[in-house]
Amino acid sequence: MEDRDLHPLELTLLSYLDGVGEAWDEEIIEKSGIGGEGSYRRAAQWLISRGLVDEAGASGETRVLLGPLGEECAAAGGTPELLLLDMVEEGTGDFAAIQADSRFDPARWGSALGALTRSGLVRRDGGRLESAGSERGVFGLLWEQVYAPLSQGGTVVLESLDPQVAAMVSDRSPKRGRGRAEFLLSTSTWQKLSINENGRSALERAKAGRIAGRLTPAMLADGSWRGLRFRRYEMDIPAARIHSGRLHPYRVFLDSVRRKFLALGFSEMRGSIAESEFWNNDALFMPQFHPARDIHDAYFLDTGGRRFAPAADILAKVASAHRDGGDTGSRGWSYDYDESRAGLPILRSQGTALSARWMASSPSVPGKYFAIARCFRYDQVDATHLPDFFQVEGIVLGEDINLRHLVGLLRLFAERIAGATEHKLYPGYFPFTEPSVEMHIRHPSIGWMEMGGAGLFRPEVTKPLGVEVPVIAWGLGLDRMAMTAMGLADIRDLMTDDLGRLRAMRVRPERMPGGGGGVADA
Amino acid sequence: MPKIEVARRDLERLCPSLPGDDAVLEELLASLKGELKTGGELLKIELNDTNRPDLWCAEGVARGISALNGYSRRYLVDLPEPSVRIEVDDSVTAVRPWIAAFKASGPPIDEEALAALVAAQEKLAGSFGRNRKTAAIGFYRSGCISFPVRYSAVPRDSVRFTPLGCDSEMTLSGVLSDTETGRKYAHLVEEGALCPLISDSSGSVLSFPPVINSEGTGRVSVGDRDLFCEVTGTDWNTVGLTASILACNLEDRGFRIEPVEIGYPRETPDGGSVSITPRRFCDTLSTTRERISTVLGILPDDAAIERSLAGMGWDSWTIDGAVVEARMPPYRHDGMHEVDLIEDIAVGYGLNRFEPLMPEGYTIGASAAIEDLADAVRIMLAGAGCEEVLLPILTSEGRPGTPPGIVRIENPMTLEYGAVRNSLIPGLLGVEAVSSHTPYPHRVFEVGEVLENGSGDLRTVVRLAVSISGNDAGFGDVHSVIGLICHGRGHSLALTPSGDDRFIPGRSCTLMVDGREAGVMGEVHPSILDELGITRPVAAFELDLESLGGAVQG
């Protein structure tokens, strides 16, 4: 400690005390040129802890100020108690008449009467109020000692009041609900400092050397830095906090998933968040009466009756696949497919809608495609459901694709995307794939969890869209992995609008897709 | 996904090979696309295959597990000829055209069986029958019915009967308005239309489908052994399959099924005007060994195929050289394509026995240009000290700062999410509204999709928006940011004053990038800040991300 050079603030404070010997803080702040109260306090604390000044005295007092109710009294020329006493003495014995007096509201008149009867200054005789004499008691003292000086611009110190009055003032200055307070209390403490021998010699040493606070361009220009010694810094002072711009942690997570797929040779699909029922459902061989297509499972868009029907030839092919299988080798759903519904606009409820559109637009064979697509499901928003969310979905097309390739692809995802060492497959059900498979993985930090599903598109899906080769459709649920990587328990936090919460979020690199391969935080 | 509750004791009775260990049970259920949610005495099971309503009950799960364990049986075979008949009147054709029915006699029904019967009835009519629309079910004591039964539609005030659970007679309109069940299902009976009614030859009312049975005949109790079951609805196959599943369930409980003949006034979808129910759907699918190996990548031998089909409960099959032909059991009607047969072969074989292969075709990964552009701009913004947010696309149309033309949702879950955002600015203002406790300045951005309501179509557009808020925040702050980005991306930027009322007059402009309108910028109007309780000035801009594409330098 002894080594450390005096900080400019310390120097200012010591120099001032050197001149006066000792002084109260108010005086120092005002006269030493140290700056504000904050600078004084820091310097004083440092100097006391280094033993260069002593605390020569301390005092405190509580000042009384008028609250909103007190201001009302000052304006009325008296507290409700005093005015009520006046009225009773003048012969107004009817409390209802007093309460009608507009100087105070009825409730205040009521509590004034309570206070006066408790103190015995007013009696109730039958329905009438009577004064017990001309005594004003503590209410008179309150006016003399508090209201009168305050209304003349004076100060009132709680500690110097008559104890009875002080008690009443404290009573009427609630800490909460200051809007209904009669008085407000403001407590101040003062500190008196005196310089000691150590302080004087430290000051002398400091003045003897030519110590510079900072290196300035002028010193560099004229070379004056050569004769200077720079004030030494204390190294254990915490740095001021700054915050940087940065990318959203969930998007950082999704970005790393996207990079993984690009690296695995997948091409990215993009499409509209507004879809037609046709591409969202019909093209995926989900019959119009399917339970998952109830009005409550998708958000329908109000477009003033506009519809977005697909090209007539594709519509015809899909319609016949639904009705009787068409030329897909299926018996179809055997129902009356309603073509007028095909163009109804909805919000995309599954990323597979994009895959359907991609299949209909001459994809490459062999081909591998993926999308990180915003989807919308008709769900209550809660800790496990977002109003909209990202689905990671895609397709793999190839002449010789079969179930074993699907198994291989799922293993690839388990290892490369989730960093899982174990996975297990179960039969699954999706209306548009057969066979369908679900995959559970052992995630390094979550344990066994469902990671996603895949299947071979039914011929009823691929053929009407003009695809003659087998197609693997796959989808992954990565929200839980993302939440784990970000240390979140409530899925709504993935899309929080609270900047404070967002700033506190961190992505844990070891929990990023692929286990440690990801960029941690930007 | 349908979820069911099943008493383990009842399941054990139906399926003597039921494993005692929940973990083993879980593996078996997986082959039925089911998940054991809760083990123990009362099992809770979720069934994922929405095309297999036969599994949504204790009997169905028991059948599935028995078959997997090697104890399969055939259903609805060697049934007697029908001895009773239902006459369908042409009046139902327009309101609820189809009916299926059967009689069943067996051991006195006990409490658990009755509970299972009711549970199956509710699940089938509720989920598979679309809340009784496409199929509703009634059970009766068959001894109380004088056949033939008549299915007709009648004016709603022409008939009175005592509904199940009531103690007095009422008209059909009385049932719809004065009983809880009536009010719940009143929407299934069209306003002013005739009401379906099932009555017997003595004139007694059996039921007012799909609403309620009569108290007299329509109450099945513990100890009953002779039952009559009918299913009515608007969809031919749903009605037929529901009756078949219920008949199979009763066979599992030792009942003998007697079919019922149904006489329709017109031709049915199966041809002819007479239908005998329960129908044996028994979808027959045919495939080849070649197709099996094309789809699965393996070729199981005959014995393995037979083991699979038996384990998956198929009714019967033949393997004749290269051709495999198999018939589904009568409680299933989900065989549409040969791939459905092939999947069952794969599941029976065991998915985890398939050796993985990697797709061999060589493909080159390619990113979407708009995503690459988004990445580049996002990194520049982070470098400019801006923090990225990610907000929901669903929003409410009344949010302050929302431009006109927003697309509303017709069936919103809540008004909070009743529209699709058409601007990113309201979301950024929402961030400011809740973040006053976070140290200023705030420099916030989002890159994300909005839905534009064009004259012809709906366009999904990726936008970029930045807002800056703090004691001294203003136009110049956001101008610097957009200037940095345009300059960095090699685009020219010009500002044209505009009169956008979201901003302070004289402090808003149209952003012109390379001479084309690309977005807006300004100091947010204090009336908006006031409405949102934002206590610091906010300046913001928003533009189409596409406008920053193309002319990239370096």
Side-chain angles (χ1 to χ4, degrees):
Chain A
M1 279 303 235
E2 295 257 329
D3 294 330
R4 183 169 71 78
D5 293 326
L6 290 174
H7 188 274
L9 291 176
E10 293 175 308
L11 205 54
T12 309
L13 178 50
L14 268 188
S15 307
Y16 184 77
L17 286 178
D18 191 34
V20 297
E22 62 175 33
W24 287 98
D25 47 8
E26 261 184 332
E27 176 192 330
I28 300 173
I29 292 165
E30 200 183 314
K31 298 184 178 162
S32 68
I34 197 164
E37 187 181 340
S39 302
Y40 162 78
R41 298 237 172 269
R42 275 190 287 159
Q45 197 189 336
W46 294 334
L47 290 172
I48 292 169
S49 70
R50 297 175 70 181
L52 303 181
V53 301
D54 298 321
E55 204 168 1
S59 79
E61 66 177 31
T62 308
R63 291 199 185 168
V64 180
L65 305 166
L66 290 183
L69 297 190
E71 299 283 2
E72 273 179 44
C73 298
T79 60
E81 290 86 1
L82 293 177
L83 297 180
L84 198 151
L85 277 172
D86 289 347
M87 285 191 272
V88 170
E89 271 166 32
E90 285 157 17
T92 314
D94 177 10
F95 185 59
I98 294 172
Q99 267 194 314
D101 190 299
S102 66
R103 285 175 293 184
F104 293 103
D105 63 41
R108 288 204 73 188
W109 287 121
S111 48
L113 178 63
L116 290 169
T117 45
R118 273 197 301 281
S119 64
L121 295 176
V122 166
R123 279 198 312 269
R124 276 173 188 273
D125 185 11
R128 286 192 64 78
L129 304 178
E130 283 185 7
S131 144
S134 55
E135 265 302 303
R136 289 291 181 269
V138 68
F139 303 104
L141 287 178
L142 179 68
W143 188 263
E144 282 165 31
Q145 296 189 358
V146 180
Y147 279 101
L150 284 179
S151 54
Q152 284 153 22
T155 55
V156 175
V157 174
L158 185 70
E159 289 80 3
S160 62
L161 296 175
D162 175 281
Q164 254 190 307
V165 175
M168 179 166 280
V169 167
S170 302
D171 213 31
R172 297 184 174 192
S173 53
K175 290 209 170 51
R176 285 186 192 167
R178 292 162 74 98
R180 294 289 300 165
E182 188 166 343
F183 304 107
L184 303 176
L185 299 181
S186 160
T187 305
S188 319
T189 55
W190 286 276
Q191 184 179 46
K192 188 192 234 181
L193 298 183
S194 65
I195 189 166
N196 59 26
E197 276 317 304
N198 291 338
R200 285 188 209 280
S201 49
L203 185 63
E204 226 164 278
R205 281 199 306 276
K207 283 182 173 165
R210 290 178 58 216
I211 295 180
R214 52 166 33 192
L215 180 62
T216 63
M219 293 172 189
L220 287 168
D222 65 13
S224 61
W225 59 271
R226 287 178 207 280
L228 288 176
R229 196 160 76 77
F230 291 92
R231 183 174 61 79
R232 274 180 269 193
Y233 289 151
E234 205 169 350
M235 295 298 159
D236 53 4
I237 293 177
R241 232 185 229 196
I242 55 173
H243 59 266
S244 70
R246 72 167 186 159
L247 301 179
H248 192 283
Y250 186 32
R251 290 210 58 166
V252 169
F253 178 93
L254 293 172
D255 289 346
S256 70
V257 171
R258 180 169 168 266
R259 277 195 301 274
K260 287 277 176 194
F261 278 105
L262 292 171
L264 293 172
F266 284 77
S267 289
E268 192 167 22
M269 306 184 283
R270 294 274 313 186
S272 174
I273 54 172
E275 262 301 355
S276 60
E277 279 222 272
F278 180 84
W279 288 110
N280 197 75
N281 299 323
D282 304 356
L284 293 169
F285 199 54
M286 291 168 68
Q288 290 174 320
F289 60 81
H290 196 274
R293 292 188 55 171
D294 267 344
I295 181 108
H296 290 304
D297 285 303
Y299 289 106
F300 284 78
L301 296 173
D302 175 3
T303 53
R306 274 178 296 158
R307 296 189 175 204
F308 306 94
D313 56 331
I314 287 192
L315 176 61
K317 285 182 187 161
V318 168
S320 67
H322 277 243
R323 288 183 184 127
D324 58 14
D327 60 1
T328 64
S330 170
R331 70 163 157 77
W333 285 104
S334 2
Y335 74 105
D336 191 14
Y337 177 85
D338 178 3
E339 294 188 9
S340 71
R341 258 185 75 173
L344 283 179
I346 62 175
L347 283 175
R348 177 169 67 202
S349 75
Q350 48 187 354
T352 322
L354 256 181
S355 301
R357 279 189 179 271
W358 233 256
M359 283 192 288
S361 46
S362 312
S364 305
V365 177
K368 299 207 293 261
Y369 296 93
F370 82 104
I372 300 179
R374 275 273 195 143
C375 297
F376 306 80
R377 286 258 169 87
Y378 201 81
D379 265 325
Q380 271 313 339
V381 175
D382 58 27
T384 55
H385 296 94
L386 283 171
D388 47 78
F389 54 97
F390 289 93
Q391 266 190 351
V392 184
E393 294 244 356
I395 48 177
V396 175
L397 308 92
E399 292 287 348
D400 302 316
I401 291 284
N402 61 47
L403 187 63
R404 290 178 61 192
H405 296 107
L406 183 153
V407 170
L409 195 67
L410 287 176
R411 185 180 69 174
L412 180 77
F413 293 160
E415 290 172 357
R416 294 302 166 110
I417 307 291
T421 47
E422 277 182 82
H423 68 280
K424 220 167 169 182
L425 304 178
Y426 294 97
Y429 175 77
F430 309 107
F432 35 80
T433 54
E434 192 88 3
S436 307
V437 177
E438 271 179 19
M439 174 168 66
H440 293 221
I441 58 160
R442 175 122 87 185
H443 185 270
S445 47
I446 300 175
W448 281 104
M449 62 170 276
E450 195 177 323
M451 186 186 175
L456 294 169
F457 266 128
R458 299 187 67 100
E460 295 98 321
V461 174
T462 52
K463 285 201 169 201
L465 301 180
V467 173
E468 296 295 336
V469 299
V471 182
I472 294 173
W474 55 269
L476 303 177
L478 301 181
D479 284 353
R480 255 188 91 195
M481 280 167 59
M483 288 166 69
T484 306
M486 293 160 65
L488 301 178
D490 187 327
I491 199 166
R492 286 169 292 197
D493 285 342
L494 288 178
M495 294 199 190
T496 184
D497 52 8
D498 182 329
L499 270 189
R501 203 176 288 188
L502 194 57
R503 284 181 184 175
M505 269 181 219
R506 291 290 173 269
V507 168
R508 303 176 60 167
E510 81 281 9
R511 294 184 177 179
M512 288 297 278
V519 177
D521 222 320
Chain B
M1 302 303 159
K3 294 188 186 76
I4 59 169
E5 288 186 4
V6 182
R8 180 181 267 280
R9 226 162 61 94
D10 192 36
L11 207 56
E12 269 165 1
R13 218 159 49 149
L14 292 160
C15 170
S17 68
L18 186 81
D21 181 348
D22 283 344
V24 182
L25 177 60
E26 210 165 345
E27 291 297 315
L28 288 168
L29 284 173
S31 290
L32 305 175
K33 305 186 181 178
E35 286 172 54
L36 184 65
K37 293 289 183 188
T38 314
E41 283 313 300
L42 186 65
L43 304 170
K44 294 186 182 171
I45 301 169
E46 181 172 324
L47 283 316
N48 289 322
D49 190 338
T50 47
N51 283 342
R52 289 287 307 272
D54 59 290
L55 289 171
W56 306 348
C57 52
E59 295 88 346
V61 169
R63 276 195 294 270
I65 293 172
S66 296
L68 287 168
N69 286 336
Y71 305 97
S72 61
R73 57 165 287 191
R74 301 184 68 206
Y75 288 85
L76 307 185
V77 287
D78 305 324
L79 300 184
E81 287 300 309
S83 67
V84 298
R85 186 175 161 92
I86 295 178
E87 293 294 344
V88 180
D89 189 85
D90 204 16
S91 54
V92 296
T93 307
V95 291
R96 195 169 176 84
W98 313 119
I99 184 165
F102 60 86
K103 286 170 74 177
S105 333
I109 199 159
D110 63 17
E111 219 158 285
E112 265 159 1
L114 187 61
L117 193 73
V118 171
Q121 184 180 350
E122 277 173 7
K123 195 53 80 178
L124 283 172
S127 300
F128 185 52
R130 313 300 298 278
N131 276 323
R132 301 194 184 178
K133 181 173 192 288
T134 52
I137 301 161
F139 274 101
Y140 312 83
R141 282 173 293 185
S142 64
C144 305
I145 300 172
S146 318
F147 288 93
V149 160
R150 181 177 159 81
Y151 180 40
S152 62
V154 298
R156 55 191 63 199
D157 292 314
S158 66
V159 177
R160 300 176 67 83
F161 76 107
T162 308
L164 192 63
C166 296
D167 45 21
S168 63
E169 286 199 344
M170 47 180 93
T171 61
L172 304 187
S173 28
V175 170
L176 292 179
S177 59
D178 299 343
T179 65
E180 203 187 319
T181 321
R183 284 189 292 271
K184 186 168 171 195
Y185 294 104
H187 65 279
L188 295 176
V189 188
E190 210 176 300
E191 196 80 40
L194 299 179
C195 292
L197 192 79
I198 302 174
S199 52
D200 73 1
S201 62
S202 74
S204 304
V205 171
L206 300 189
S207 166
F208 168 19
V211 182
I212 201 161
N213 281 5
S214 82
E215 173 71 26
T217 50
R219 180 183 284 287
V220 174
S221 312
V222 169
D224 287 343
R225 46 192 310 166
D226 293 301
L227 307 177
F228 172 72
C229 168
E230 53 76 17
V231 181
T232 61
T234 56
D235 183 72
W236 171 252
N237 282 324
T238 308
V239 167
L241 184 61
T242 302
S244 300
I245 292 169
L246 292 167
C248 293
N249 287 0
L250 285 165
E251 277 195 350
D252 280 321
R253 295 195 180 274
F255 280 71
R256 203 173 44 76
I257 304 300
E258 185 192 312
V260 171
E261 182 178 292
I262 297 166
Y264 283 98
R266 301 163 185 241
E267 188 152 297
T268 70
D270 280 359
S273 64
V274 173
S275 164
I276 295 181
T277 62
R279 281 153 69 198
R280 284 177 59 77
F281 283 92
C282 297
D283 298 336
T284 299
L285 297 176
S286 172
T287 189
T288 60
R289 301 175 139 279
E290 191 195 342
R291 185 68 190 256
I292 295 173
S293 84
T294 306
V295 174
L296 300 186
I298 57 160
L299 186 54
D301 60 23
D302 289 1
I305 292 175
E306 293 196 359
R307 263 200 311 278
S308 282
L309 293 175
M312 297 306 286
W314 286 62
D315 185 78
S316 51
W317 52 84
T318 56
I319 303 176
D320 183 6
V323 177
V324 178
E325 193 171 276
R327 214 150 88 123
M328 282 188 159
Y331 48 81
R332 280 181 70 174
H333 187 43
D334 60 326
M336 284 187 278
H337 194 282
E338 61 188 298
V339 291
D340 296 307
L341 169 59
I342 296 171
E343 182 187 73
D344 271 13
I345 293 172
V347 172
Y349 179 80
L351 286 178
N352 290 297
R353 287 172 62 193
F354 283 79
E355 283 293 318
L357 281 180
M358 283 313 294
E360 284 152 18
Y362 177 70
T363 61
I364 298 174
S367 52
I370 189 81
E371 287 294 336
D372 289 341
L373 179 57
D375 280 359
V377 170
R378 287 167 57 221
I379 287 167
M380 289 178 83
L381 284 166
C386 299
E387 293 173 271
E388 185 178 34
V389 294
L390 176 62
L391 301 169
I393 288 179
L394 289 187
T395 185
S396 73
E397 60 173 308
R399 275 186 107 167
T402 300
I406 195 165
V407 177
R408 276 188 294 269
I409 288 167
E410 276 184 357
N411 57 328
M413 176 79 80
T414 57
L415 284 181
E416 197 186 349
Y417 301 114
V420 190
R421 71 181 178 190
N422 60 351
S423 165
L424 301 177
I425 287 178
L428 295 184
L429 291 174
V431 168
E432 287 310 325
V434 300
S435 302
S436 59
H437 57 278
T438 305
Y440 288 90
H442 297 166
R443 299 163 67 87
V444 183
F445 77 98
E446 181 173 18
V447 174
E449 294 162 309
V450 305
L451 191 64
E452 281 182 3
N453 194 0
S455 52
D457 57 356
L458 303 173
R459 289 208 317 137
T460 300
V461 179
V462 181
R463 296 262 185 85
L464 151 68
V466 173
S467 71
I468 297 181
S469 177
N471 290 340
D472 310 315
F475 193 87
D477 297 299
V478 282
H479 190 184
S480 302
V481 175
I482 185 62
L484 171 82
I485 289 184
C486 285
H487 182 255
R489 299 282 309 169
H491 295 280
S492 77
L493 171 70
L495 315 186
T496 313
S498 74
D500 190 324
D501 62 11
R502 289 176 290 173
F503 303 109
I504 295 174
R507 296 186 180 186
S508 73
C509 69
T510 302
L511 296 172
M512 307 293 290
V513 175
D514 298 333
R516 280 190 295 273
E517 267 189 36
V520 297
M521 180 164 76
E523 286 184 9
V524 177
H525 199 282
S527 66
I528 292 180
L529 303 182
D530 192 47
E531 190 175 349
L532 287 165
I534 298 173
T535 56
R536 305 287 198 292
V538 180
F541 73 78
E542 174 172 31
L543 89 166
D544 283 353
L545 188 65
E546 288 272 7
S547 67
L548 300 172
V552 192
Q553 291 179 340

